[in-house]
């Protein structure tokens, strides 16, 4: 189905991004999976190409373009032609906005040039070993001591946990308030900041996920993001974009799986004819095509809403819910249509199947998305009783 939200300049940008992913990312994917981490210099190369933080001010090396469609293109082309473990979407769209939107001029002047060039790789540390997504149960603490804060605690399942040079860390600063959380910029090399083991995962093999430990880390006041105690509010402000970026990625991987499978069923033969000629195959592919087109249209509309500042939490949650669930169904169908080959690691569809399982969990589980959408309908038990 023809997509109508892109202008000629977006399509020109897509061509350049596709070439970058095909030459600088895709060829290294197998080696990165074996190593369990991508090369640091891929971020430097992306920075040289202008693919890091296109929204950043020109004085920091960015393009100063506040249009999510450019970021959408970067995510889509990385998923299709690069490597899902190259977490450029985390760097650009999940962490950098904390600095771009919430930090003061001094902080932006200090950090954004390195973020845009790729010298400073970003990560965000929210999840803890015993609390998962429950921020109200956060145990990491930061205590104010004059010109600095003393940070103690542990985080887990942190993407870019090994590569990250600058980490946005959430910590409890007001023990009397469930949401008394503050956000801090913790830098590589700060005394007491330690990396734990690189975690082995079901999928996303080339993406480094790690434990982080903070033992009496002295974080200067100048590394506090915004106001103390307002971290929960800041996190909520960023969630809609985070979930939409996730939805964009889910659609790109689902579409890629569809394309791979369409090619496979045209070539693979059984009982004297291509398996695509069987009615069951045609119907399965047709159903996926229709569902992908509908979901893509919704995601594209959400991108335009975000550009206009009109994307709601419910809209973003619906996009994340529908696309992650669709991605899971598409991956399952595509593996089935590949037959035994779909179970073999050498086939990309096999790796994509395991990569996709996390989609219904991170950035808020499907169950949490349903809760948010339901509450938006006025079906909130706390208000209905």
């Amino acid at each position: 189905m023809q997509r109508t939200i892109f202008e000629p300049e977006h399509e020109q940008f897509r061509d350049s991004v596709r070439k970058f992913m095909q030459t600088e990312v895709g060829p290294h994917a197998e080696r990165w999976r074996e190593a369990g981490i991508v090369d640091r210099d891929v971020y430097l190369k992306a920075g040289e190409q202008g693919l890091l933080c296109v929204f950043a001010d020109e004085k920091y090396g960015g393009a100063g373009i506040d249009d999510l469609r450019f970021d959408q293109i970067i995510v889509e082309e990385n998923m299709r032609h690069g490597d899902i473990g190259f977490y450029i979407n985390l760097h650009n769209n999940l962490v950098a906005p904390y600095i771009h939107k919430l930090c003061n001029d001094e902080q932006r002047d200090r950090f954004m040039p390195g973020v845009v060039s790729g010298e400073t790789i970003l990560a965000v540390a929210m999840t803890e070993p015993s609390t998962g997504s429950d921020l109200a149960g956060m145990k990491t603490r930061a205590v104010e001591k004059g010109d600095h804060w003393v940070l103690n605690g542990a985080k887990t399942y942190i993407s870019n946990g090994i590569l990250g040079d600058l980490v946005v860390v959430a910590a409890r600063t007001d023990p009397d308030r469930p949401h008394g959380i503050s956000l801090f910029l913790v830098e590589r090399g700060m005394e007491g900041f330690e990396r734990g083991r690189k975690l082995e995962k079901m999928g996303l093999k080339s993406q480094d996920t790690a434990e982080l430990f903070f033992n009496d880390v002295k974080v200067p006041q100048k590394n506090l993001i915004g106001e103390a105690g307002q971290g929960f509010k800041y996190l909520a402000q960023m969630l809609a974009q985070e979930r939409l970026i996730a939805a964009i990625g889910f659609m790109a991987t689902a579409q890629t799986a569809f394309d791979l499978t369409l090619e496979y069923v045209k070539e693979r033969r059984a009982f004297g004819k291509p398996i695509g000629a069987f009615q069951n195959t045609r119907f399965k592919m047709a159903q996926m095509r229709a569902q992908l087109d509908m979901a893509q249209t919704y995601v594209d509309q959400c991108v335009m809403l975000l550009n206009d500042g009109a994307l709601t939490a419910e809209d973003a949650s619906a996009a994340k819910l529908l696309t992650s669930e669709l991605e899971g169904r598409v991956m399952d169908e595509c593996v089935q249509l590949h037959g035994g080959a779909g179970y073999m690691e050498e086939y990309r569809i096999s790796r994509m199947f395991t990569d996709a399982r996390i989609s219904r969990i991170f950035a808020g589980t499907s169950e949490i998305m349903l809760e948010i959408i339901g509450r938006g309908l006025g079906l909130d038990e706390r208000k209905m009783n």
Side-chain angles (χ1 to χ4, degrees), residues 197-216:
R197 60 195 175 101
K198 181 162 61 67
L199 302 172
E200 298 296 328
K201 306 185 297 296
M202 176 192 294
L204 302 181
K205 296 293 188 180
S206 57
Q207 195 281 309
D208 62 303
T209 302
E211 301 169 315
L212 302 181
F213 300 101
F214 309 94
N215 303 305
D216 291 329

Side-chain angles (χ1 to χ4, degrees), residues 3 72 76 251 292-301:
R3 299 168 68 184
Q72 181 179 16
E76 290 177 349
M251 286 305 305
L292 286 166
D293 285 344
M294 285 199 302
Q296 187 66 70
T297 300
Y298 183 75
V299 170
D300 287 351
Q301 179 64 18

Side-chain angles (χ1 to χ4, degrees), residues 25-36 83 206 351:
V25 180
H28 305 289
E30 184 175 352
R31 177 171 60 82
W32 289 345
R33 283 194 301 274
E34 293 175 357
D83 181 54
S206 57
R351 301 190 299 271

Side-chain angles (χ1 to χ4, degrees), residues 268-342:
R268 179 75 167 89
R269 300 181 69 85
F271 303 103
K273 59 182 177 181
I275 62 175
F278 292 98
Q279 185 185 68
N280 179 71
T281 303
R282 292 200 306 275
F283 282 11
K284 293 290 186 182
M285 296 300 295
Q287 187 173 46
M288 285 191 287
R289 176 72 276 146
Q291 291 174 343
L292 286 166
D293 285 344
M294 285 199 302
Q296 187 66 70
T297 300
Y298 183 75
V299 170
D300 287 351
Q301 179 64 18
C302 285
V303 169
M304 300 306 288
L305 286 173
L306 188 138
N307 275 351
D308 292 338
L311 182 68
T312 67
E314 292 80 11
D315 291 334
S317 296
K320 199 274 177 182
L321 171 71
L322 295 173
T323 57
S324 62
E325 294 287 341
L326 175 58
E327 181 194 33
R329 293 195 302 273
V330 167
M331 293 300 170
D332 191 66
E333 292 283 12
C334 289
V335 167
Q336 188 71 20
L337 288 169
H338 273 76

Side-chain angles (χ1 to χ4, degrees), residues 174-185:
D174 186 348
D176 297 325
R177 290 195 303 124
H179 293 160
I181 295 169
S182 299
L183 303 182
F184 299 92
L185 292 163

